[in-house]
Amino acid sequence: STGTVVATKGSGVVVVITGVNGKSWVGIQDSTGAQIFSGQIRVGSAQTFKDGQQLSVTIGNAGAVNLNVNGKDLGTPGNVGEVVHLSFGPTESNQG
């Protein structure tokens, strides 16, 4: 048998970032390291990002946004004015 894993429906990672408290600069890199988003997310606006393997997220004002990853609400990733660097993969993978 081959060692190939066939990607099934629901594989990959989906990150939704919603502005909840002021505005924040957000940068997103996909699994290849390419910058796929760089800009402001304001209160009431939401951005959705998808990748088959991994998304790297930099948030300039962690208290200003709410994170939803693979359908799970993670809330705000930090405090107002705090810069956070996060990395998300598929729910199926074991991330410690």
Side-chain angles (χ1 to χ4, degrees):
S1 67
T2 66
T4 305
V5 175
V6 178
T8 55
K9 187 177 189 297
S11 68
V13 54
V14 180
V15 175
V16 182
I17 303 177
T18 307
V20 293
N21 176 26
K23 64 184 178 183
S24 175
W25 177 86
V26 172
I28 311 283
Q29 287 180 310
D30 66 13
S31 57
T32 69
Q35 187 93 3
I36 59 173
F37 180 82
S38 175
Q40 299 268 354
I41 294 182
R42 294 176 173 80
V43 174
S45 73
Q47 294 277 354
T48 302
F49 308 99
K50 298 177 184 177
D51 189 83
Q53 294 170 287
Q54 181 175 308
L55 288 169
S56 298
V57 181
T58 302
I59 300 168
N61 183 358
V65 297
N66 188 85
L67 288 180
N68 184 297
V69 180
N70 297 330
K72 184 180 180 184
D73 188 357
L74 302 184
T76 53
N79 300 314
V80 172
E82 184 181 354
V83 177
V84 294
H85 301 274
L86 304 165
S87 184
F88 301 108
T91 310
E92 294 80 19
S93 69
N94 235 337
Q95 301 231 349

